[in-house]
Amino acid sequence: MRIIRIIAQIGILYFFYYVGVFLVDLTHLPLPASIVGLLLLVGCLQMKWIKIEYIRDGAGLLLGSMTLFFIPAMLGIIDYPELLSINGLILIVSVIVSTLMTIYFAGIISQKIEQKELKMKEKKEGKEGKIIESSHLHH
Amino acid sequence: MKAVIYIISTVVLFILMSKLHKKYSYSFLLPIVTTTIVLIIALLLLNIPYDDYMEGGKWLQHLLGPAVVGLAYPLYNQRKLIMKYKYTIILGIFVAMLSGLVTIFAMLKIFKIKDSFILTALPKSITTPVAMQVSETISGIPSLTAVLVMIAGFVGALFGPLVFKVGKIKSPISRGISMGSASHGVGISKLKDFGEKDLSIGSLSMGVSAVMGAILCPLFVYLFF
C-alpha cells in the first residue's frame, strides 16, 4: 500500500515538473523547468489546493536519494580533460576564493540586517505594548 | 541490456558507499564523491564511453526533475521560520547570490577564461541538482558545474568556521544564511557543530537560494553576456 502511495505521489511531482516544462517551452522563460514546477507546487500548497500529505512520502523518498540522481551527470567530466589544464586550475581556484568571499560578505551583511530587523521588531512590540496599556487605562 | 547493468551497478555502488560514509563520517567519504570517483575509474579502465553509460544513466538523471520539485515540501514546511526573519533571510541571501556571481565573474574575466567556462561556474553556489539545471539553461556544461559545486561545498565545510572567526560572524542566523547560500548541502553539514538553529536556517537558506539563484543567474547572464 505504502509503495503505491509513494508512486502516486511521485506522479504528482512529475505532473508539476511537466507543467513546468510546458510553461518554459511556451514562454521561453530562462528558468529551469523544475524550479517553475516547484514554485507552482508551493503556490498550490499555500492556497491549500493540495494537502502536504499528498506529496510528503514521495518527496521524502526522492529528496533522500537525490544525490544518486546527479551522479550520472557528474561522470560527464570524463569528456572534459581540460579541467586538468592551467585554465582548469584557474577555474577551481576562482571558485574557492569566490566561495570564501561570499561566506564573508553574506555573513557580515546579514548580521547587520538581522540586528536592524530585531530592533524594528522590538520597537513594534513596544508600541503595541503601549497601545494595550493605554486601552487598559480607558476602560 | 547494458543500460540495465549500468543502472544497477550505479545504484548498488551508491548504497555501498552510503553505508561506508555512515560508518566513518568523514566528508571526503561523501557517497557522491566516492561513487563518482569509483565509477570514473571503472569507465576509464573498461573503456566505456560516457554516451554508452548514459544509455542507463539517463533514467536515473530523469528523476532529478521531480526531485527538485519535491524541494517544495521542506520549503513549505519552513515557511514560519522564513516569515519570522523574512528581511534578514531574503536580503542576506540576495547579497550572497550577488557577491557569488560578481566575484567569480570578475576573477574569470581578469584571467580571460572562455565564456563557456564562465557560464559553467556561475551557478556554483546553488545546490547541485538545481545548479546543473541552471547551467543547462544558460548554456554552461552541467557536469563541470556539478564538480565546481562540490568544490564550493567543501571549501565552506573546511574553511567556513575560519571565515566566521575572521569576520566575527556570531549569530546563528547569519552563519546559516552565508553557509547555506554559498556552500549548500556539504557546507551546512558542518553547521551541526554550531547548533540546531544554524542548521535549520542553513538548510532553509539552501532552498531559498536555489530558487533565487535559478532566477538571478539567467538574469545576470542576460545583462552581462
Side-chain angles (χ1 to χ4, degrees):
Chain A
M1 223 23 237
R2 193 178 134 78
I3 291 177
I4 297 171
R5 191 172 65 223
I6 286 179
I7 292 174
Q9 296 195 351
I10 291 177
I12 296 178
L13 297 175
Y14 254 117
F15 172 77
F16 275 88
Y17 172 63
Y18 280 115
V19 172
V21 172
F22 173 73
L23 286 177
V24 168
D25 278 348
L26 193 73
T27 58
H28 298 288
L29 271 175
L31 279 178
S34 51
I35 289 291
V36 175
L38 180 159
L39 290 172
L40 289 173
L41 180 53
V42 170
C44 288
L45 289 168
Q46 191 68 39
M47 302 298 288
K48 312 259 181 238
W49 292 339
I50 287 185
K51 279 190 193 163
I52 192 86
E53 289 83 25
Y54 294 169
I55 59 153
R56 187 174 50 208
D57 295 341
L61 182 86
L62 286 188
L63 292 177
S65 37
M66 186 139 85
T67 335
L68 174 65
F69 308 144
F70 54 77
I71 284 175
M74 280 195 78
L75 295 182
I77 54 160
I78 60 173
D79 283 348
Y80 294 93
E82 290 158 283
L83 201 60
L84 299 171
S85 65
I86 288 287
N87 280 350
L89 189 72
I90 293 174
L91 194 61
I92 290 169
V93 172
S94 303
V95 167
I96 294 174
V97 175
S98 164
T99 302
L100 292 175
M101 288 166 83
T102 305
I103 297 177
Y104 182 80
F105 290 136
I108 287 193
I109 294 175
S110 57
Q111 196 158 261
K112 287 228 168 82
I113 303 171
E114 185 193 347
Q115 282 159 0
K116 281 230 171 89
E117 191 170 15
L118 275 178
K119 258 186 208 156
M120 241 170 58
K121 262 190 197 145
E122 272 167 23
K123 246 191 195 166
K124 212 175 158 192
E125 271 159 22
K127 253 189 199 162
E128 275 165 11
K130 266 181 200 158
I131 292 168
I132 293 167
E133 248 173 57
S134 61
S135 68
H136 266 291
L137 282 176
H138 281 292
H139 286 284
Chain B
M1 190 57 219
K2 257 196 205 160
V4 179
I5 296 173
Y6 294 147
I7 295 175
I8 292 174
S9 47
T10 307
V11 174
V12 170
L13 189 66
F14 181 75
I15 293 171
L16 289 176
M17 290 303 164
S18 303
K19 280 196 175 141
L20 186 75
H21 180 246
K22 233 176 215 159
K23 202 167 172 197
Y24 312 95
S25 57
Y26 300 112
S27 37
F28 64 85
L29 283 182
L30 276 176
I32 172 75
V33 179
T34 46
T35 311
T36 307
I37 292 174
V38 172
L39 282 175
I40 285 179
I41 294 171
L43 290 188
L44 292 177
L45 284 181
L46 300 173
N47 230 342
I48 301 169
Y50 178 63
D51 287 344
D52 203 36
Y53 169 82
M54 277 313 271
E55 287 295 311
K58 68 178 179 205
W59 297 102
L60 288 175
Q61 189 173 341
H62 200 256
L63 283 161
L64 259 189
V68 169
V69 174
L71 284 171
Y73 171 67
L75 270 180
Y76 179 75
N77 267 346
Q78 290 164 322
R79 66 194 181 285
K80 284 201 178 110
L81 195 61
I82 301 183
M83 289 318 282
K84 198 169 168 196
Y85 302 102
K86 52 181 179 292
Y87 296 114
T88 313
I89 287 175
I90 303 287
L91 284 173
I93 294 175
F94 183 72
V95 168
M97 296 323 287
L98 214 58
S99 56
L101 286 170
V102 171
T103 50
I104 191 78
F105 179 73
M107 270 187 283
L108 295 179
K109 271 285 176 199
I110 288 169
F111 288 110
K112 297 198 167 48
I113 300 293
K114 59 179 176 186
D115 277 0
S116 68
F117 271 18
I118 299 183
L119 292 169
T120 298
L122 284 178
K124 60 138 180 37
S125 318
I126 315 175
T127 181
T128 320
V130 181
M132 283 172 43
Q133 307 213 317
V134 173
S135 178
E136 206 180 326
T137 308
I138 60 179
S139 355
I141 306 158
S143 57
L144 257 185
T145 299
V147 174
L148 298 178
V149 171
M150 287 325 286
I151 294 172
F154 278 102
V155 169
L158 291 173
F159 303 108
L162 186 72
V163 178
F164 292 155
K165 220 179 224 173
V166 172
K168 299 199 175 61
I169 298 158
K170 284 173 191 149
S171 95
I173 295 171
S174 39
R175 278 195 299 245
I177 289 175
S178 56
M179 195 72 105
S181 50
S183 297
H184 54 93
V186 183
I188 59 175
S189 65
K190 193 75 199 165
L191 288 175
K192 262 186 290 199
D193 304 349
F194 289 94
E196 204 41 55
K197 198 171 183 186
D198 296 65
L199 195 63
S200 53
I201 298 274
S203 69
L204 158 74
S205 304
M206 180 177 85
V208 176
S209 70
V211 175
M212 213 189 270
I215 297 167
L216 282 181
C217 261
L219 191 67
F220 189 86
V221 172
Y222 177 73
L223 292 175
F224 293 98
F225 281 85

